[in-house]
Structures are given as C-alpha cells and as structure tokens.
C-alpha cells in the first residue's frame, strides 16, 4: 500500500513526541525522520514506530508483512554494501547524471568531453567502505555533490582549468561509519567541482530540530535571556 502525506506526517509527529519524552536520542530521531519523509509505502513506515507507544490508532498505518528497517534509518553504515548499479559514466557533446538512490561501485570513472556531468552522492549507497571516483573533463565540466559529513579527499589536477572543492555549507567532521571517498582525476580546459551541500531531507531535519527546540518548555525563557 502506498503511504500518503498525512500518514507520513502522523509518523513524524509520533517521532517528535518520542524524542521529547526521551525515548529516542536526537541522532536516531533524525535518521527515522529522514526515513519517514522518504518512505513510499506502509511497509517502510511501520518499522519506524514499531517500538514506540502510539498516541492513537490512526498514528500507525496498517501494514502487511514487514521486510525490515528502511535502509536510510541506520545512518551511514546502513548505506554500505550491495552490488554496484553504476561503475562509470560518459558524456561527449552531451551530459550524464547519477543522482538519487544508486549504488556507487568500488571504482567509478567518469569522462566528459565537450559536455558535462553530475554525480550526486547525497542519497547514494556505496558498494564498499572505500570508494575511488575518477573524474576526467576535457573542455567540459563535472559537478560532484556530497553531504557535509561524508569523508571525502580531493586530489585532482587542473590544466588550464580547475579541479577542487567548494562548499555552500561549513565542512563537518566525518560522521562515524562514513564511507571514505577519494575523488581524483584531471580537468583540461574544463573543470571538476566538488561541493558539500545538504540534501532536501537534511534541510528538513534541521528545520524539524529547530521547531522541536522552540517547542520545548524552556524555549521561551531562553528567548527572554537572549533578548
């Protein structure tokens, strides 16, 4: 059964109550909340609140047999393992895109000539803990987007072009269990950019945290002190 927006919101409310009562740690709350808004079926939603008291019968969707926890609810370790769905990409007078839910191979090679490419790792799985991504751009460009807490090393070379890392958010220390991703290669009269940027789900988690913080009983006193 497909889950509705209203059902996802009811699950999110159950999680908010659980963290407010101390039943969930903040990191687990974030993981489950992220999984809630990504869930598409009842079977994906039900495990997220199965071990929590539910305020009302409508708060928990009726589901059939459950296959297991959603893979996104376990953090980085849950995103490591499995068969690669892509080990390379090629663009010539055109472009390529690898984004959303896909599995990066142990070695991923991308080439773009007179074209461009997009490699987005923010929702990707990783076949192994250590991954090498090789990017080669000739009179073209590539953009690699990663989450701020992913363990990333950039060591490419730019020849009459650029190969480097820039960010719209402050870099964070690698999260426990994060894959190690090494991005290398070269750009000839072109560019390869590596950007740290939060996904929509991560931004939504931050908004949820802020709303939760402001909803706490001591939030008013804190605001008075700051004022």
């Amino acid at each position: 059964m497909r889950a509705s927006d209203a059902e996802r919101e009811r699950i999110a409310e159950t999680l908010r109550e659980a963290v407010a009562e101390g039943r969930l740690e903040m990191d687990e709350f974030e993981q489950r909340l992220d999984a809630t808004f990504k869930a598409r079926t009842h079977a994906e939603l039900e495990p997220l609140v199965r071990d929590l008291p539910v305020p009302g019968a409508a708060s928990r969707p009726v589901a059939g047999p459950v296959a297991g926890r959603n893979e996104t609810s376990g953090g980085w370790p849950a995103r490591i393992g499995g068969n690669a769905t892509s080990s390379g990409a090629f663009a010539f007078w055109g472009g390529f895109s690898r984004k959303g839910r896909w599995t990066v191979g142990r070695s991923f090679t991308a080439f773009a000539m007179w074209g461009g490419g997009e490699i987005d790792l923010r929702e990707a799985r990783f076949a192994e803990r250590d991954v090498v991504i090789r990017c080669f751009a000739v009179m073209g460009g590539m953009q690699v987007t990663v989450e701020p807490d992913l363990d990333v090393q950039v060591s490419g070379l730019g020849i009459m072009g650029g190969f480097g890392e820039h960010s719209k958010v402050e870099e964070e220390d690698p999260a426990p269990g994060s894959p190690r991703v090494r991005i290398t290669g070269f750009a000839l009269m072109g560019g390869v950019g590596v950007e740290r940027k939060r996904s929509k789900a991560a931004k939504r988690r931050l908004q949820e945290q802020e709303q939760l913080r402001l909803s706490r009983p001591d939030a008013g006193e804190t605001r008075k002190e700051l004022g």
Side-chain angles (χ1 to χ4, degrees), residues 82-97:
N83 296 323
T85 58
S86 181
S87 60
F90 178 84
F92 180 75
W93 284 103
F96 69 81
S97 177

Side-chain angles (χ1 to χ4, degrees), residues 7-222:
E7 287 168 330
R8 281 187 283 270
E9 185 55 40
R10 285 196 293 268
I11 294 296
E13 185 59 32
T14 300
L15 295 174
R16 294 187 196 105
E17 291 187 13
V19 75
E21 295 171 355
R23 299 180 188 274
L24 288 177
E25 297 293 335
M26 183 58 70
D27 58 348
E28 188 175 7
F29 165 71
E30 294 172 359
Q31 293 165 3
R32 294 194 189 195
L33 192 65
D34 185 18
T36 296
F37 288 110
K38 289 182 178 179
R40 293 292 176 265
T41 65
H42 288 175
E44 292 176 301
L45 284 175
E46 198 278 339
L48 301 175
V49 294
R50 185 166 51 196
D51 59 345
L52 299 174
V54 182
S59 297
R60 177 176 287 179
V62 177
V66 178
R69 294 175 62 85
N70 185 282
E71 66 180 23
T72 60
S73 66
W76 282 117
R79 292 170 60 178
I80 299 175
N83 296 323
T85 58
S86 181
S87 60
F90 178 84
F92 180 75
W93 284 103
F96 69 81
S97 177
R98 297 290 187 276
K99 62 181 181 178
R101 295 188 180 183
W102 62 294
T103 302
V104 190
R106 179 177 61 85
S107 178
F108 182 91
T109 302
F111 178 85
M113 183 173 183
W114 295 322
E118 176 187 14
I119 304 172
D120 193 333
L121 304 179
R122 291 175 295 174
E123 295 183 19
R125 289 183 57 88
F126 301 84
E128 297 186 15
R129 176 73 181 274
D130 294 280
V131 170
V132 177
I133 297 179
R134 300 181 177 91
C135 299
F136 302 97
V138 179
M139 289 181 285
M142 269 183 242
Q143 179 70 33
V144 183
T145 307
V146 303
E147 293 181 80
D149 61 349
L150 180 65
D151 188 355
V152 177
Q153 297 177 353
V154 182
S155 59
L157 174 66
I159 304 174
M160 290 186 289
F163 197 119
E165 183 174 358
H166 58 280
S167 180
K168 291 184 178 180
V169 298
E170 183 178 352
E171 181 179 350
E172 301 176 7
D173 292 333
S178 164
R180 289 185 290 267
V181 179
R182 186 161 62 92
I183 300 174
T184 185
F186 69 82
L188 175 63
M189 291 187 289
V192 174
V194 181
E195 180 181 29
R196 294 181 180 271
K197 182 179 179 182
R198 293 188 178 93
S199 64
K200 291 182 180 179
K203 292 178 181 178
R204 189 163 53 229
R205 287 198 303 269
L206 291 176
Q207 292 174 351
E208 292 282 351
Q209 289 178 25
E210 182 63 16
Q211 292 174 0
L212 180 64
R213 184 183 67 81
L214 295 176
S215 67
R216 289 173 178 166
D218 59 348
E221 297 299 324
T222 302

